[in-house]
Amino acid sequence: NMLNKKNEKLLLFDYDGTLVDSAQMIIDGTIEAFNRCGLATPKPEVIKAGIGQKLHVAFKRYIPLEHKGLINEVIRHYRQWYVEKDLEGTQFEPLFTNVKPVLKTLYQHGWKLGIATNKSLRGLSRGLSHHEIENFFSIIMTADDFTPKPDKAMAIHALRTLKVKNSEAFVIGDTVYDITMGKNAKIKTVGVTWGYNTKEELLHANADHIIHEPNELVEILRKR
């Protein structure tokens, strides 16, 4: 009987700035890449403000006009630095406080969980397995295979693959790119303030909910 079929429900999480605090690694890697190319070091707060964008877009803002031609080389060095860190296996982006217990609770309550990130799969997989949270996720989408956020491609793919109605899904993220992806896919959105965009920026992007601590997500979903 179709009526008895429980509606599948989906929570689509961003990774950097939402589940893990990756700012320090992104800043370190960017500075190292610029130094390896003999370029002046961008300011950490400028780098932090660019988190969540595709590398090309972010780096274009930090490179002086006369060196724009070096952008691909800078990106190559940045990726190379990450590969070196991968191989060393010593430096990991820490999970934000309470993220793991909240993921576990939601998973146990029958929500399907997914990740939609502009990060590459390599760095993501390494982080998920290091923190032992990969088993919570039914679907993982990265910019390796999909048009990056704010495009709706990742969200639409997740809905179709997991057979979830957009009315039964939420996007959870810390940047306007996450909120806009949700809007573009007609999915409700939850902006988190512990990442890299401010509450004001998230509200300006029309987030449906704003939370300041991971446990608040459980409260919002319980109220439904």
Side-chain angles (χ1 to χ4, degrees), residues 34-65:
F34 273 68
N35 290 347
R36 288 181 187 184
C37 292
L39 294 169
T41 301
K43 291 189 167 64
E45 59 273 21
V46 175
I47 298 171
K48 198 166 177 179
I51 293 176
Q53 292 171 305
K54 206 154 171 50
L55 278 180
H56 228 272
V57 178
F59 283 4
K60 221 178 217 151
R61 289 171 48 209
Y62 328 142
I63 296 183
L65 214 49

PDB file of all heavy atoms in Angstrom, residues 34-65:
ATOM      1  N   PHE A  34      50.904  30.478  -2.929  1.00  0.00           N
ATOM      2  CA  PHE A  34      51.330  31.795  -3.400  1.00  0.00           C
ATOM      3  C   PHE A  34      52.842  31.953  -3.229  1.00  0.00           C
ATOM      4  O   PHE A  34      53.525  32.459  -4.113  1.00  0.00           O
ATOM      5  CB  PHE A  34      50.569  32.902  -2.663  1.00  0.00           C
ATOM      6  CG  PHE A  34      49.251  33.256  -3.314  1.00  0.00           C
ATOM      7  CD1 PHE A  34      48.198  32.341  -3.309  1.00  0.00           C
ATOM      8  CD2 PHE A  34      49.061  34.465  -3.949  1.00  0.00           C
ATOM      9  CE1 PHE A  34      46.987  32.637  -3.924  1.00  0.00           C
ATOM     10  CE2 PHE A  34      47.857  34.783  -4.569  1.00  0.00           C
ATOM     11  CZ  PHE A  34      46.813  33.864  -4.559  1.00  0.00           C
ATOM     12  N   ASN A  35      53.355  31.497  -2.082  1.00  0.00           N
ATOM     13  CA  ASN A  35      54.795  31.596  -1.832  1.00  0.00           C
ATOM     14  C   ASN A  35      55.589  30.774  -2.832  1.00  0.00           C
ATOM     15  O   ASN A  35      56.627  31.212  -3.324  1.00  0.00           O
ATOM     16  CB  ASN A  35      55.123  31.153  -0.398  1.00  0.00           C
ATOM     17  CG  ASN A  35      54.612  32.159   0.632  1.00  0.00           C
ATOM     18  OD1 ASN A  35      54.228  33.281   0.272  1.00  0.00           O
ATOM     19  ND2 ASN A  35      54.583  31.773   1.885  1.00  0.00           N
ATOM     20  N   ARG A  36      55.090  29.580  -3.156  1.00  0.00           N
ATOM     21  CA  ARG A  36      55.801  28.713  -4.103  1.00  0.00           C
ATOM     22  C   ARG A  36      55.828  29.338  -5.497  1.00  0.00           C
ATOM     23  O   ARG A  36      56.700  29.009  -6.296  1.00  0.00           O
ATOM     24  CB  ARG A  36      55.143  27.325  -4.163  1.00  0.00           C
ATOM     25  CG  ARG A  36      55.391  26.492  -2.914  1.00  0.00           C
ATOM     26  CD  ARG A  36      54.760  25.110  -3.004  1.00  0.00           C
ATOM     27  NE  ARG A  36      54.884  24.403  -1.729  1.00  0.00           N
ATOM     28  CZ  ARG A  36      54.491  23.139  -1.528  1.00  0.00           C
ATOM     29  NH1 ARG A  36      53.950  22.446  -2.527  1.00  0.00           N
ATOM     30  NH2 ARG A  36      54.626  22.574  -0.355  1.00  0.00           N
ATOM     31  N   CYS A  37      54.868  30.212  -5.771  1.00  0.00           N
ATOM     32  CA  CYS A  37      54.843  30.899  -7.072  1.00  0.00           C
ATOM     33  C   CYS A  37      55.524  32.260  -7.002  1.00  0.00           C
ATOM     34  O   CYS A  37      55.475  33.035  -7.957  1.00  0.00           O
ATOM     35  CB  CYS A  37      53.405  31.063  -7.553  1.00  0.00           C
ATOM     36  SG  CYS A  37      52.644  29.506  -7.986  1.00  0.00           S
ATOM     37  N   GLY A  38      56.129  32.568  -5.851  1.00  0.00           N
ATOM     38  CA  GLY A  38      56.836  33.839  -5.686  1.00  0.00           C
ATOM     39  C   GLY A  38      55.917  35.044  -5.629  1.00  0.00           C
ATOM     40  O   GLY A  38      56.330  36.159  -5.942  1.00  0.00           O
ATOM     41  N   LEU A  39      54.652  34.826  -5.217  1.00  0.00           N
ATOM     42  CA  LEU A  39      53.690  35.925  -5.150  1.00  0.00           C
ATOM     43  C   LEU A  39      53.530  36.423  -3.718  1.00  0.00           C
ATOM     44  O   LEU A  39      53.759  35.670  -2.765  1.00  0.00           O
ATOM     45  CB  LEU A  39      52.319  35.462  -5.662  1.00  0.00           C
ATOM     46  CG  LEU A  39      52.238  35.107  -7.143  1.00  0.00           C
ATOM     47  CD1 LEU A  39      50.911  34.409  -7.436  1.00  0.00           C
ATOM     48  CD2 LEU A  39      52.378  36.354  -8.002  1.00  0.00           C
ATOM     49  N   ALA A  40      53.124  37.682  -3.583  1.00  0.00           N
ATOM     50  CA  ALA A  40      52.863  38.242  -2.258  1.00  0.00           C
ATOM     51  C   ALA A  40      51.742  37.442  -1.584  1.00  0.00           C
ATOM     52  O   ALA A  40      50.800  36.990  -2.228  1.00  0.00           O
ATOM     53  CB  ALA A  40      52.454  39.702  -2.380  1.00  0.00           C
ATOM     54  N   THR A  41      51.881  37.264  -0.274  1.00  0.00           N
ATOM     55  CA  THR A  41      50.926  36.469   0.502  1.00  0.00           C
ATOM     56  C   THR A  41      49.611  37.224   0.709  1.00  0.00           C
ATOM     57  O   THR A  41      49.628  38.338   1.214  1.00  0.00           O
ATOM     58  CB  THR A  41      51.546  36.154   1.882  1.00  0.00           C
ATOM     59  OG1 THR A  41      52.759  35.440   1.677  1.00  0.00           O
ATOM     60  CG2 THR A  41      50.610  35.323   2.729  1.00  0.00           C
ATOM     61  N   PRO A  42      48.477  36.606   0.339  1.00  0.00           N
ATOM     62  CA  PRO A  42      47.195  37.258   0.638  1.00  0.00           C
ATOM     63  C   PRO A  42      46.951  37.251   2.152  1.00  0.00           C
ATOM     64  O   PRO A  42      47.459  36.376   2.853  1.00  0.00           O
ATOM     65  CB  PRO A  42      46.156  36.372  -0.070  1.00  0.00           C
ATOM     66  CG  PRO A  42      46.903  35.303  -0.784  1.00  0.00           C
ATOM     67  CD  PRO A  42      48.317  35.296  -0.295  1.00  0.00           C
ATOM     68  N   LYS A  43      46.169  38.206   2.634  1.00  0.00           N
ATOM     69  CA  LYS A  43      45.864  38.272   4.064  1.00  0.00           C
ATOM     70  C   LYS A  43      44.914  37.133   4.461  1.00  0.00           C
ATOM     71  O   LYS A  43      43.962  36.842   3.742  1.00  0.00           O
ATOM     72  CB  LYS A  43      45.210  39.613   4.396  1.00  0.00           C
ATOM     73  CG  LYS A  43      46.132  40.802   4.291  1.00  0.00           C
ATOM     74  CD  LYS A  43      45.448  42.052   4.865  1.00  0.00           C
ATOM     75  CE  LYS A  43      46.452  43.182   5.057  1.00  0.00           C
ATOM     76  NZ  LYS A  43      47.009  43.627   3.752  1.00  0.00           N
ATOM     77  N   PRO A  44      45.161  36.500   5.617  1.00  0.00           N
ATOM     78  CA  PRO A  44      44.309  35.387   6.058  1.00  0.00           C
ATOM     79  C   PRO A  44      42.816  35.718   6.059  1.00  0.00           C
ATOM     80  O   PRO A  44      42.003  34.893   5.639  1.00  0.00           O
ATOM     81  CB  PRO A  44      44.808  35.115   7.482  1.00  0.00           C
ATOM     82  CG  PRO A  44      46.243  35.539   7.469  1.00  0.00           C
ATOM     83  CD  PRO A  44      46.318  36.699   6.521  1.00  0.00           C
ATOM     84  N   GLU A  45      42.462  36.943   6.473  1.00  0.00           N
ATOM     85  CA  GLU A  45      41.019  37.262   6.532  1.00  0.00           C
ATOM     86  C   GLU A  45      40.407  37.366   5.132  1.00  0.00           C
ATOM     87  O   GLU A  45      39.229  37.073   4.934  1.00  0.00           O
ATOM     88  CB  GLU A  45      40.741  38.521   7.353  1.00  0.00           C
ATOM     89  CG  GLU A  45      41.410  39.804   6.858  1.00  0.00           C
ATOM     90  CD  GLU A  45      42.826  39.988   7.416  1.00  0.00           C
ATOM     91  OE1 GLU A  45      43.448  38.996   7.842  1.00  0.00           O
ATOM     92  OE2 GLU A  45      43.296  41.145   7.418  1.00  0.00           O
ATOM     93  N   VAL A  46      41.232  37.744   4.151  1.00  0.00           N
ATOM     94  CA  VAL A  46      40.760  37.804   2.762  1.00  0.00           C
ATOM     95  C   VAL A  46      40.542  36.387   2.228  1.00  0.00           C
ATOM     96  O   VAL A  46      39.551  36.090   1.573  1.00  0.00           O
ATOM     97  CB  VAL A  46      41.772  38.577   1.868  1.00  0.00           C
ATOM     98  CG1 VAL A  46      41.343  38.543   0.410  1.00  0.00           C
ATOM     99  CG2 VAL A  46      41.903  40.020   2.347  1.00  0.00           C
ATOM    100  N   ILE A  47      41.477  35.488   2.559  1.00  0.00           N
ATOM    101  CA  ILE A  47      41.347  34.086   2.144  1.00  0.00           C
ATOM    102  C   ILE A  47      40.091  33.491   2.779  1.00  0.00           C
ATOM    103  O   ILE A  47      39.296  32.819   2.123  1.00  0.00           O
ATOM    104  CB  ILE A  47      42.589  33.262   2.572  1.00  0.00           C
ATOM    105  CG1 ILE A  47      43.851  33.803   1.887  1.00  0.00           C
ATOM    106  CG2 ILE A  47      42.384  31.777   2.243  1.00  0.00           C
ATOM    107  CD1 ILE A  47      45.153  33.210   2.407  1.00  0.00           C
ATOM    108  N   LYS A  48      39.901  33.756   4.074  1.00  0.00           N
ATOM    109  CA  LYS A  48      38.760  33.197   4.811  1.00  0.00           C
ATOM    110  C   LYS A  48      37.442  33.632   4.178  1.00  0.00           C
ATOM    111  O   LYS A  48      36.495  32.850   4.066  1.00  0.00           O
ATOM    112  CB  LYS A  48      38.827  33.630   6.276  1.00  0.00           C
ATOM    113  CG  LYS A  48      37.962  32.782   7.179  1.00  0.00           C
ATOM    114  CD  LYS A  48      38.290  33.001   8.647  1.00  0.00           C
ATOM    115  CE  LYS A  48      37.339  32.174   9.506  1.00  0.00           C
ATOM    116  NZ  LYS A  48      37.599  32.304  10.927  1.00  0.00           N
ATOM    117  N   ALA A  49      37.408  34.894   3.725  1.00  0.00           N
ATOM    118  CA  ALA A  49      36.182  35.423   3.113  1.00  0.00           C
ATOM    119  C   ALA A  49      35.852  34.727   1.788  1.00  0.00           C
ATOM    120  O   ALA A  49      34.712  34.737   1.336  1.00  0.00           O
ATOM    121  CB  ALA A  49      36.309  36.931   2.903  1.00  0.00           C
ATOM    122  N   GLY A  50      36.869  34.114   1.171  1.00  0.00           N
ATOM    123  CA  GLY A  50      36.652  33.463  -0.126  1.00  0.00           C
ATOM    124  C   GLY A  50      36.296  31.984  -0.034  1.00  0.00           C
ATOM    125  O   GLY A  50      36.035  31.339  -1.044  1.00  0.00           O
ATOM    126  N   ILE A  51      36.276  31.455   1.192  1.00  0.00           N
ATOM    127  CA  ILE A  51      35.994  30.022   1.368  1.00  0.00           C
ATOM    128  C   ILE A  51      34.590  29.699   0.878  1.00  0.00           C
ATOM    129  O   ILE A  51      33.646  30.436   1.138  1.00  0.00           O
ATOM    130  CB  ILE A  51      36.164  29.595   2.845  1.00  0.00           C
ATOM    131  CG1 ILE A  51      37.630  29.712   3.249  1.00  0.00           C
ATOM    132  CG2 ILE A  51      35.662  28.171   3.063  1.00  0.00           C
ATOM    133  CD1 ILE A  51      37.914  29.403   4.716  1.00  0.00           C
ATOM    134  N   GLY A  52      34.469  28.579   0.170  1.00  0.00           N
ATOM    135  CA  GLY A  52      33.151  28.158  -0.324  1.00  0.00           C
ATOM    136  C   GLY A  52      33.017  28.377  -1.817  1.00  0.00           C
ATOM    137  O   GLY A  52      32.196  27.756  -2.474  1.00  0.00           O
ATOM    138  N   GLN A  53      33.856  29.270  -2.356  1.00  0.00           N
ATOM    139  CA  GLN A  53      33.837  29.491  -3.798  1.00  0.00           C
ATOM    140  C   GLN A  53      34.731  28.470  -4.490  1.00  0.00           C
ATOM    141  O   GLN A  53      35.559  27.835  -3.854  1.00  0.00           O
ATOM    142  CB  GLN A  53      34.359  30.895  -4.113  1.00  0.00           C
ATOM    143  CG  GLN A  53      33.441  31.995  -3.651  1.00  0.00           C
ATOM    144  CD  GLN A  53      34.109  33.345  -3.804  1.00  0.00           C
ATOM    145  OE1 GLN A  53      35.192  33.579  -3.294  1.00  0.00           O
ATOM    146  NE2 GLN A  53      33.458  34.229  -4.505  1.00  0.00           N
ATOM    147  N   LYS A  54      34.573  28.362  -5.798  1.00  0.00           N
ATOM    148  CA  LYS A  54      35.486  27.517  -6.560  1.00  0.00           C
ATOM    149  C   LYS A  54      36.871  28.175  -6.507  1.00  0.00           C
ATOM    150  O   LYS A  54      36.978  29.393  -6.496  1.00  0.00           O
ATOM    151  CB  LYS A  54      34.990  27.399  -8.005  1.00  0.00           C
ATOM    152  CG  LYS A  54      35.470  26.119  -8.658  1.00  0.00           C
ATOM    153  CD  LYS A  54      34.550  25.673  -9.764  1.00  0.00           C
ATOM    154  CE  LYS A  54      35.152  24.514 -10.542  1.00  0.00           C
ATOM    155  NZ  LYS A  54      35.643  23.399  -9.710  1.00  0.00           N
ATOM    156  N   LEU A  55      37.925  27.351  -6.467  1.00  0.00           N
ATOM    157  CA  LEU A  55      39.295  27.866  -6.326  1.00  0.00           C
ATOM    158  C   LEU A  55      39.607  28.992  -7.300  1.00  0.00           C
ATOM    159  O   LEU A  55      40.173  30.012  -6.923  1.00  0.00           O
ATOM    160  CB  LEU A  55      40.303  26.740  -6.563  1.00  0.00           C
ATOM    161  CG  LEU A  55      40.586  25.806  -5.389  1.00  0.00           C
ATOM    162  CD1 LEU A  55      41.594  24.757  -5.819  1.00  0.00           C
ATOM    163  CD2 LEU A  55      41.094  26.588  -4.183  1.00  0.00           C
ATOM    164  N   HIS A  56      39.220  28.771  -8.544  1.00  0.00           N
ATOM    165  CA  HIS A  56      39.513  29.736  -9.595  1.00  0.00           C
ATOM    166  C   HIS A  56      38.969  31.122  -9.263  1.00  0.00           C
ATOM    167  O   HIS A  56      39.641  32.135  -9.431  1.00  0.00           O
ATOM    168  CB  HIS A  56      38.904  29.247 -10.911  1.00  0.00           C
ATOM    169  CG  HIS A  56      39.875  29.315 -12.036  1.00  0.00           C
ATOM    170  ND1 HIS A  56      40.033  30.442 -12.796  1.00  0.00           N
ATOM    171  CD2 HIS A  56      40.767  28.413 -12.512  1.00  0.00           C
ATOM    172  CE1 HIS A  56      40.970  30.232 -13.702  1.00  0.00           C
ATOM    173  NE2 HIS A  56      41.433  28.997 -13.551  1.00  0.00           N
ATOM    174  N   VAL A  57      37.729  31.131  -8.781  1.00  0.00           N
ATOM    175  CA  VAL A  57      37.048  32.397  -8.452  1.00  0.00           C
ATOM    176  C   VAL A  57      37.710  33.050  -7.246  1.00  0.00           C
ATOM    177  O   VAL A  57      38.005  34.248  -7.249  1.00  0.00           O
ATOM    178  CB  VAL A  57      35.551  32.133  -8.161  1.00  0.00           C
ATOM    179  CG1 VAL A  57      34.838  33.418  -7.771  1.00  0.00           C
ATOM    180  CG2 VAL A  57      34.882  31.488  -9.370  1.00  0.00           C
ATOM    181  N   ALA A  58      37.979  32.246  -6.220  1.00  0.00           N
ATOM    182  CA  ALA A  58      38.571  32.780  -5.002  1.00  0.00           C
ATOM    183  C   ALA A  58      39.977  33.332  -5.272  1.00  0.00           C
ATOM    184  O   ALA A  58      40.283  34.471  -4.917  1.00  0.00           O
ATOM    185  CB  ALA A  58      38.628  31.686  -3.936  1.00  0.00           C
ATOM    186  N   PHE A  59      40.805  32.524  -5.951  1.00  0.00           N
ATOM    187  CA  PHE A  59      42.200  32.936  -6.169  1.00  0.00           C
ATOM    188  C   PHE A  59      42.303  34.168  -7.059  1.00  0.00           C
ATOM    189  O   PHE A  59      43.211  34.965  -6.905  1.00  0.00           O
ATOM    190  CB  PHE A  59      43.019  31.778  -6.758  1.00  0.00           C
ATOM    191  CG  PHE A  59      43.401  30.729  -5.740  1.00  0.00           C
ATOM    192  CD1 PHE A  59      42.938  30.818  -4.438  1.00  0.00           C
ATOM    193  CD2 PHE A  59      44.219  29.670  -6.083  1.00  0.00           C
ATOM    194  CE1 PHE A  59      43.288  29.857  -3.490  1.00  0.00           C
ATOM    195  CE2 PHE A  59      44.574  28.704  -5.143  1.00  0.00           C
ATOM    196  CZ  PHE A  59      44.105  28.796  -3.843  1.00  0.00           C
ATOM    197  N   LYS A  60      41.369  34.302  -7.988  1.00  0.00           N
ATOM    198  CA  LYS A  60      41.391  35.465  -8.886  1.00  0.00           C
ATOM    199  C   LYS A  60      41.341  36.756  -8.085  1.00  0.00           C
ATOM    200  O   LYS A  60      41.920  37.768  -8.476  1.00  0.00           O
ATOM    201  CB  LYS A  60      40.181  35.395  -9.828  1.00  0.00           C
ATOM    202  CG  LYS A  60      40.521  35.786 -11.246  1.00  0.00           C
ATOM    203  CD  LYS A  60      39.313  35.651 -12.164  1.00  0.00           C
ATOM    204  CE  LYS A  60      39.767  35.148 -13.520  1.00  0.00           C
ATOM    205  NZ  LYS A  60      38.756  34.369 -14.219  1.00  0.00           N
ATOM    206  N   ARG A  61      40.654  36.718  -6.945  1.00  0.00           N
ATOM    207  CA  ARG A  61      40.517  37.925  -6.122  1.00  0.00           C
ATOM    208  C   ARG A  61      41.801  38.274  -5.388  1.00  0.00           C
ATOM    209  O   ARG A  61      42.001  39.418  -5.004  1.00  0.00           O
ATOM    210  CB  ARG A  61      39.371  37.746  -5.132  1.00  0.00           C
ATOM    211  CG  ARG A  61      38.003  37.759  -5.806  1.00  0.00           C
ATOM    212  CD  ARG A  61      36.879  37.377  -4.870  1.00  0.00           C
ATOM    213  NE  ARG A  61      36.968  38.105  -3.617  1.00  0.00           N
ATOM    214  CZ  ARG A  61      36.513  37.627  -2.457  1.00  0.00           C
ATOM    215  NH1 ARG A  61      35.983  36.443  -2.390  1.00  0.00           N
ATOM    216  NH2 ARG A  61      36.606  38.361  -1.364  1.00  0.00           N
ATOM    217  N   TYR A  62      42.643  37.277  -5.136  1.00  0.00           N
ATOM    218  CA  TYR A  62      43.858  37.574  -4.356  1.00  0.00           C
ATOM    219  C   TYR A  62      45.076  37.873  -5.214  1.00  0.00           C
ATOM    220  O   TYR A  62      46.084  38.356  -4.701  1.00  0.00           O
ATOM    221  CB  TYR A  62      44.260  36.423  -3.414  1.00  0.00           C
ATOM    222  CG  TYR A  62      43.163  35.581  -2.829  1.00  0.00           C
ATOM    223  CD1 TYR A  62      43.329  34.209  -2.677  1.00  0.00           C
ATOM    224  CD2 TYR A  62      41.967  36.149  -2.395  1.00  0.00           C
ATOM    225  CE1 TYR A  62      42.341  33.423  -2.120  1.00  0.00           C
ATOM    226  CE2 TYR A  62      40.967  35.359  -1.840  1.00  0.00           C
ATOM    227  CZ  TYR A  62      41.158  34.001  -1.700  1.00  0.00           C
ATOM    228  OH  TYR A  62      40.187  33.217  -1.151  1.00  0.00           O
ATOM    229  N   ILE A  63      45.029  37.514  -6.503  1.00  0.00           N
ATOM    230  CA  ILE A  63      46.229  37.671  -7.342  1.00  0.00           C
ATOM    231  C   ILE A  63      46.296  39.081  -7.924  1.00  0.00           C
ATOM    232  O   ILE A  63      45.327  39.544  -8.514  1.00  0.00           O
ATOM    233  CB  ILE A  63      46.235  36.626  -8.480  1.00  0.00           C
ATOM    234  CG1 ILE A  63      46.339  35.212  -7.899  1.00  0.00           C
ATOM    235  CG2 ILE A  63      47.392  36.870  -9.446  1.00  0.00           C
ATOM    236  CD1 ILE A  63      46.436  34.112  -8.932  1.00  0.00           C
ATOM    237  N   PRO A  64      47.439  39.754  -7.748  1.00  0.00           N
ATOM    238  CA  PRO A  64      47.585  41.091  -8.347  1.00  0.00           C
ATOM    239  C   PRO A  64      47.391  41.014  -9.871  1.00  0.00           C
ATOM    240  O   PRO A  64      47.738  40.002 -10.490  1.00  0.00           O
ATOM    241  CB  PRO A  64      49.016  41.489  -8.013  1.00  0.00           C
ATOM    242  CG  PRO A  64      49.502  40.520  -7.002  1.00  0.00           C
ATOM    243  CD  PRO A  64      48.654  39.302  -7.067  1.00  0.00           C
ATOM    244  N   LEU A  65      46.829  42.055 -10.413  1.00  0.00           N
ATOM    245  CA  LEU A  65      46.481  42.114 -11.829  1.00  0.00           C
ATOM    246  C   LEU A  65      47.601  41.631 -12.751  1.00  0.00           C
ATOM    247  O   LEU A  65      47.377  40.831 -13.656  1.00  0.00           O
ATOM    248  CB  LEU A  65      46.077  43.547 -12.198  1.00  0.00           C
ATOM    249  CG  LEU A  65      44.990  43.698 -13.253  1.00  0.00           C
ATOM    250  CD1 LEU A  65      43.784  42.809 -12.924  1.00  0.00           C
ATOM    251  CD2 LEU A  65      44.556  45.150 -13.363  1.00  0.00           C
TER     252      LEU A  65
END
